[in-house]
Amino acid sequence: MADDRRDELEALLKRQRDAFTASRPESMSMRKDRIKRAMALLKEHGENLCKAMSADFGNRSMHQSMLTDIAGTVGAGKHALKHMDKWAKGEKRPVQFPLGLLGAKAEVRYEPKGVIGILSPWNFPVNLAFAPLMQVLAAGNRAMIKPSEFTERTSMLMAELVDEYFTPDEVAVVTGGPEVAAAFSELPFDHLVFTGSTPTGRLVMQAAAKNLVPVTLELGGKSPVFMGRSADFAKAGERIALGKMMNAGQICLSPDYMFVPEDKQDEAVAGVSNGVSAMYPTLLENDDYASIVSDRHFERLQGLVEDAREKGAEVIEVNPGGEDFSNANQRKMPLNIIKNVNDDMKVMQEEIFGPVLPVMTYKAIDQAVDYVNEHDRPLGLYYFGDDKDEQEHVLTRTISGGVTTNDVIFHVSMEDLPFGGVGPSGMGSYHAIEGFKEFSHARAVYHQPKIDIAKLGGFKPPYGKATEKAAAGMMK
């Protein structure tokens, strides 16, 4: 990348950090004003942002974008405005006996870190840039955002709008390709948020490590669906279909594969197929159904299906309108349900991120539990069924970023729940108070009284009886 671009990024970071330092301590009203401006930007230009997203994808439902990227993100801002005074209050902490009696005090103050970098992806390009921004601003920080080059029109529009609503030393959007993203991730931020794939997350963490920048990584992985014997397969199938077909499966929390009882496989597959048919009677000219974002991603998904077929899987194409996709030049792809899969198939080795749904079977639920435990920790985990004991068994025997029972994805839409992964599906979390704390420094403050505590506690040489007494007392 040209040195002048790198210099430009460094200059922008310096400008934000200088402004941050000069303005300390900044009022809560200033933080709230920034959140209100971010919300106003989304409300006043929501329709144009939705149009830009649709153009970037080839087709993406305006209604869906308005729900997921605009309204949902405004909701995050509203939640922060309502609760941030409470979040920002310092906490009094107890001191060891008898220090409290002698006048010692301890507290934790939640203070802004400084300048936060946000590297956001293409699949929900507005939400995944602006939702973390709400908590970044609530915590009193400045922000630099690098959105994805795959959704170029949306990124350009976001840059223009942010420039209109914020000064560059408050919030700035940096556009460009992978080389700009690489340089961005090497900047000495006070914190860096990245949302994207696990392999890229490793690179971002490596780059951030050069400057010991703390990271929040929102990655993905293969989020499993457990279908218990007690599940209502028709209702569960429709809910899985909704989650899998939304954004054409291009969601980090999309149900990646299903585990179903061996003797209920056909019923489970029928439930999903019928769910798709009810919501999407046709696909090609249906504005409700998104296109795959790029030719490269489309070809990768086709390759996953072909690889599974060649290795002996049975592929069921869910094509309710009997449409011909072979000559369609719009990157629309029907749902491919894949039976008889195994771990030799690429579809079971990498996150799918599209309308492909492998189905695995079990005789006893612990086979499914063991399989999930033998693989990387997923970002989401889903259980369907009325058997509360079995549900609890699955939840207590597995580990995942988050869980929704009797549906998929919904836990991320609960603004008061932390959103984050574990292990290869990510680290750290944001949303609500967890987001506020993620982007704050918990500063320990101890106030020493006038009395000579060191002498009383035996810390002052020459050591002797007081020291021995203090040590013995601490171990009681």
Side-chain angles (χ1 to χ4, degrees), residues 185 192 200-210 213 215 217 427:
S185 60
L192 180 61
T200 310
R202 287 194 173 96
L203 298 175
V204 168
M205 193 171 177
Q206 220 172 341
K210 292 175 188 173
V213 174
V215 291
L217 302 177
M427 65 176 66

Side-chain angles (χ1 to χ4, degrees), residues 158-171:
M158 274 169 30
E160 285 167 29
L161 293 173
V162 164
D163 203 31
E164 197 181 307
Y165 284 75
F166 294 93
T167 59
D169 62 14
E170 292 179 304
V171 182

Side-chain angles (χ1 to χ4, degrees), residues 27 118 121 171 178 187 202 225 234 277 280 287 471:
S27 68
I118 300 173
V171 182
L187 291 171
R202 287 194 173 96
V225 176
S277 302
Y280 303 94
D287 282 346

Side-chain angles (χ1 to χ4, degrees), residues 10-62:
E10 286 170 0
L12 181 56
L13 174 58
K14 184 179 187 310
R15 184 175 180 178
Q16 289 205 354
R17 186 170 283 131
D18 288 350
F20 167 79
T21 305
S23 69
R24 276 184 57 74
E26 206 164 57
S27 68
M28 289 299 283
S29 61
M30 189 68 234
R31 298 185 191 187
K32 288 174 182 172
D33 177 62
R34 291 192 184 118
I35 292 173
K36 284 172 186 168
R37 278 183 273 153
M39 290 165 66
L41 181 159
L42 295 169
K43 286 183 192 172
E44 288 159 22
H45 300 277
E47 200 166 313
N48 286 338
L49 285 163
C50 290
K51 283 178 185 166
M53 285 184 269
S54 186
D56 279 329
F57 271 76
N59 176 69
R60 191 186 200 235
S61 161
M62 294 281 286

Side-chain angles (χ1 to χ4, degrees), residues 47-184:
E47 200 166 313
N48 286 338
L49 285 163
C50 290
K51 283 178 185 166
M53 285 184 269
S54 186
D56 279 329
F57 271 76
N59 176 69
R60 191 186 200 235
S61 161
M62 294 281 286
H63 292 99
Q64 183 214 295
S65 293
M66 194 56 82
L67 266 179
T68 57
D69 280 78
I70 309 301
T73 314
V74 169
K78 279 166 68 177
H79 189 271
L81 287 175
K82 187 176 176 184
H83 298 283
M84 57 194 281
D85 286 320
K86 189 171 69 198
W87 297 342
K89 276 201 173 89
E91 295 171 20
K92 293 211 172 349
R93 295 287 179 93
V95 295
Q96 288 97 313
F97 179 82
L99 294 177
L101 300 176
L102 302 170
K105 290 190 174 78
E107 62 177 318
V108 176
R109 296 181 180 183
Y110 292 102
E111 301 188 346
K113 288 186 169 183
V115 183
I116 313 285
I118 300 173
L119 266 168
S120 57
W122 53 263
N123 59 325
F124 291 97
V126 177
N127 177 287
L128 293 171
F130 277 80
L133 178 68
M134 298 302 182
Q135 285 119 45
V136 164
L137 296 176
N141 302 289
R142 313 285 166 127
M144 287 168 60
I145 302 169
K146 163 62 182 76
S148 172
E149 67 277 8
F150 282 111
T151 40
E152 194 177 1
R153 295 170 187 85
T154 311
S155 296
M156 293 302 288
L157 181 55
M158 274 169 30
E160 285 167 29
L161 293 173
V162 164
D163 203 31
E164 197 181 307
Y165 284 75
F166 294 93
T167 59
D169 62 14
E170 292 179 304
V171 182
V173 173
V174 176
T175 57
E179 68 291 341
V180 175
F184 188 91

